[in-house]
Each structure stands twice: as C-alpha cells, then as structure tokens.
Amino acid sequence: MEDNRRFTLSKANLLLISIGFLIIVSGFLLMVGSATEVDFNPDIFSTRRTVVGPMISFFGFLFMVFAIMYHPKKRTEE
C-alpha cells in the first residue's frame, strides 16, 4: 500500500510562515510596556511602543500572507 499524502503547503511555505510568526512576535515584544497603577511611566508613549512595534507586526502579517500564497517553482530534471 502506497502512502501518497500531499500537503497543501510545502516545506518552503512552512518555513516562511514560521519566519513571519517570529517577526510578528518581535513586533509585539517591542510594544510591551509596564505601567503600574501607583506610578505613571511616560515611557509607555515612546516611539518604539507606538510606531515601531506596530509597524513591525503589520509587516509580519503582510509577510505571513505572502508566505501562505507563495508557490515555489518546480525543478525540472533533465
């Protein structure tokens, strides 16, 4: 009995998806801030947390869409 399973996404797609996931997580880590109820920390409004982190996460989501739609070219053997 021949086991002939074919997955929808190739190994290259899965690798690109994992890279996109790491980009998204790094963007969220840049947005992490600590503010307590006792002390106000004005650093929560820094450029890193309000601009850079969300942009990196957004580009990670765009890269994830590209990774899912990417179709690797087949190698032709002669």
Side-chain angles (χ1 to χ4, degrees), residues 25-45:
V25 168
S26 65
F28 276 101
L29 287 176
L30 286 173
M31 287 188 277
V32 170
S34 62
T36 61
E37 295 179 9
V38 178
D39 296 328
F40 176 73
N41 187 1
D43 191 41
I44 62 172
F45 300 113

Side-chain angles (χ1 to χ4, degrees), residues 1 5 9-10 13 15 17-19 22 24 30 33-35 37 39-42 48 51-52 54-57 64:
M1 182 175 190
R5 294 185 203 171
L9 298 175
S10 68
N13 291 95
L15 179 66
I17 288 171
S18 63
I19 291 170
L22 291 175
I24 292 169
L30 286 173
S34 62
E37 295 179 9
D39 296 328
F40 176 73
N41 187 1
R48 176 178 59 100
V51 177
V52 177
M55 285 183 68
I56 289 176
S57 293
M64 193 75 94

